[in-house]
Amino acid sequence: MWDSTMFLSTLTPKFYVALTGTSSLISGLILIFEWWYFRKYGTSFIEQVSLNHISPWISGVDNSENGNGSSNSSTSNGSQGNVPECKVWRNPLNLFRGAEYQRFYWATNKEPLTYYDMNLSAQDHQTFFTCEADAGRSEYEIMQTAWRERNPILRIKAAHSALENNTECASAYILLAEEEATTIVESEKILKQALKIAELNYKKSQVVQHQGVLMEAQHRRDTNVLIYIKRRLAMCARKLGKMKDAVKMFRDLTKEVPPIMNVLNVHENLIESLLQMQAYADVQAVLAKYDDISLPKSAAICYTAALLKARQVADKFSPDVATKRGLNSAEMAAVEAIHRAVEFNPHVPKYLLEMKPLILPPEHILKRGDSEAIAYSFFHLAHWKAVEGALNLLHCTWEGTFRMLPYPLERGHLFYPYPTCTECADRELLPAFHEVSVYPKKELPFFIIFTAGLCSFTALLALLTHQYPEPMGVVARAVLNSISLPVYFVYDKIECLLPSNILLQLSRI
């Protein structure tokens, strides 16, 4: 029999130092490689080799075709293009400053809008409601200054001053309806007065629009003013419960084609109003027109599509039953629609499931960002609650999306890669008292954590062995002796049961 005691007694402390140092170095190299592979491909190398190569070999299943298919899919999706820059959009469902934002300030003494957000609105108003033809016209020059004014009291005072110079200054009425009116009823009254003036100005400029560049710019400005007033009147009707009037006005606006329509996204107002009426067939018709691959997506488009799919199965959906029998085709379509929506904007579910408190939406949003999630959830939470079981289905499925998404963020699956700049832009758009939601990070794979622990443990052993060679040698011999005891015990039992000549032949082999 091999004498392990004599072998262990011949080992010097230098051997233990070399052994633990080499083990630490090897585990450190494995950790560095695992971390590099995870950062580049989003998965553990050891885990991937185990699942794709070792497991099929042990089970006898050839998984090469599936592996190639997924690789090609990720390659094609990963090459969808460069990550687009963060573009700020006007919130289609933005509130009225005086009637809604100001009332919030009175109740909480917290500013609901940031200066950055309001400054973007001022730039929009200058672009839409002013033009080169306004030079020399005192009322419009006053309004140019009013849009840039930071103090709301001075803005309102400037609008009244413009109306004193010219009672047909429609943009002054817009400012008063947005900021001076403290109720939606007052805002609607002022906007109706502005609408008459805007229609008159539009007809006048339409006649002379081809008489020069200035006249064309003036007509474009009058068109912008008219469309903006109609949209805000439709929003007033929506807030006052006059749903049929609101839907009709929004439908009429969607038929308009001026450039301002590309900014307003009126179809999202129409979708929200139709959902309030529970006219789901009409919502589906609108989605069929706007949920096109060539058009820019939004949370309203993606999550409304998911809501309509969930509506067909949510009332009878049970996670326990679905786990046992699997998902049918309708349930699979609903789950895939939720996964698509969550990939587009991962911040929405926490607001819909009321895991995070809502605040008043900003006047501008960042698509796929926290600001868009707030703007969508603020109005659409009620529509999800109106569909029985929809929130339960969302709760059961949305977290699973992150296990399916390509990682890191520089890769995309159904959409272009998630922009890394959204967090900074959202912090500018959202008030300081709100905790900005960030993109959920994937957890580190087990093998990276295991390798890091192994590397740290072996490095600690190497350090202790180098500093205290004699005591560590004693500990190492004790550990090796304790490990070898079960082996010796089994060997002795086998030696007692089997003839000695068989063991002798086995030892020779």
Side-chain angles (χ1 to χ4, degrees), residues 250-307:
F250 285 133
R251 284 192 187 278
D252 292 340
L253 282 172
T254 56
K255 300 173 185 177
E256 300 283 351
V257 293
I260 191 177
M261 296 304 297
N262 298 326
V263 179
L264 297 181
N265 290 325
V266 178
H267 60 277
E268 296 191 16
N269 298 96
L270 177 59
I271 288 173
E272 196 278 325
S273 299
L274 290 172
L275 285 173
Q276 178 66 21
M277 297 176 66
Q278 298 188 358
Y280 298 112
D282 292 335
V283 175
Q284 185 62 59
V286 176
L287 283 181
K289 180 179 179 182
Y290 289 98
D291 194 5
D292 184 79
I293 192 170
S294 61
L295 295 175
K297 297 293 182 289
S298 66
I301 294 292
C302 295
Y303 277 90
T304 301
L307 177 61

Side-chain angles (χ1 to χ4, degrees), residues 354-405:
E354 298 182 83
M355 299 166 64
K356 197 173 181 187
L358 271 172
I359 62 171
L360 294 186
E363 294 185 336
H364 289 79
I365 59 174
L366 194 67
K367 287 194 175 182
R368 308 186 74 180
D370 190 32
S371 51
E372 184 192 34
I374 292 171
Y376 170 80
S377 304
F378 187 84
F379 284 96
H380 287 260
L381 175 59
H383 307 323
W384 279 80
K385 288 184 175 180
V387 177
E388 183 181 357
L391 289 175
N392 177 50
L393 180 59
L394 177 67
H395 176 71
C396 295
T397 58
W398 78 275
E399 288 182 332
T401 302
F402 297 106
R403 292 191 291 271
M404 303 172 60
L405 293 182

Side-chain angles (χ1 to χ4, degrees), residues 196-302:
K196 297 178 182 178
I197 297 172
E199 288 176 338
L200 183 62
N201 292 338
Y202 173 80
K203 292 177 181 177
K204 289 180 180 179
S205 61
Q206 189 178 29
V207 177
V208 297
Q209 62 174 315
H210 300 298
Q211 294 183 6
V213 177
L214 292 180
M215 292 298 100
E216 186 176 348
Q218 181 177 333
H219 178 66
R220 184 167 58 250
R221 188 271 313 278
D222 292 339
T223 303
N224 293 341
V225 169
L226 180 61
I227 290 176
Y228 185 90
I229 292 173
K230 286 182 176 180
R231 175 175 170 270
R232 293 305 261 175
L233 274 172
M235 294 181 73
C236 287
R238 156 70 182 91
K239 294 173 187 293
L240 295 174
K242 298 181 284 188
M243 301 309 304
K244 290 184 178 180
D245 294 341
V247 168
K248 182 181 183 303
M249 296 169 75
F250 285 133
R251 284 192 187 278
D252 292 340
L253 282 172
T254 56
K255 300 173 185 177
E256 300 283 351
V257 293
I260 191 177
M261 296 304 297
N262 298 326
V263 179
L264 297 181
N265 290 325
V266 178
H267 60 277
E268 296 191 16
N269 298 96
L270 177 59
I271 288 173
E272 196 278 325
S273 299
L274 290 172
L275 285 173
Q276 178 66 21
M277 297 176 66
Q278 298 188 358
Y280 298 112
D282 292 335
V283 175
Q284 185 62 59
V286 176
L287 283 181
K289 180 179 179 182
Y290 289 98
D291 194 5
D292 184 79
I293 192 170
S294 61
L295 295 175
K297 297 293 182 289
S298 66
I301 294 292
C302 295

Side-chain angles (χ1 to χ4, degrees), residues 147-176:
W147 297 126
R148 294 193 301 267
E149 179 57 55
R150 185 171 181 178
N151 190 322
I153 297 176
L154 296 180
R155 285 199 299 271
I156 294 171
K157 185 177 180 180
H160 282 293
S161 177
L163 288 176
E164 289 176 2
N165 291 349
N166 182 4
T167 56
E168 295 183 355
C169 182
S171 57
Y173 284 104
I174 290 176
L175 192 148
L176 295 178

Side-chain angles (χ1 to χ4, degrees), residues 111-114 359-360 426-427 429-436:
E111 290 288 353
L113 297 175
T114 64
I359 62 171
L360 294 186
D426 277 333
R427 292 189 188 281
L429 288 172
L430 297 172
F433 60 82
H434 172 72
E435 182 182 353
V436 176

Side-chain angles (χ1 to χ4, degrees), residues 125-159:
H125 294 151
Q126 283 185 278
T127 303
F128 296 149
F129 306 145
T130 62
C131 65
E132 297 86 348
D134 295 338
R137 302 172 66 178
S138 59
E139 67 277 12
Y140 287 104
E141 290 180 347
I142 291 174
M143 289 308 301
Q144 284 183 350
T145 305
W147 297 126
R148 294 193 301 267
E149 179 57 55
R150 185 171 181 178
N151 190 322
I153 297 176
L154 296 180
R155 285 199 299 271
I156 294 171
K157 185 177 180 180

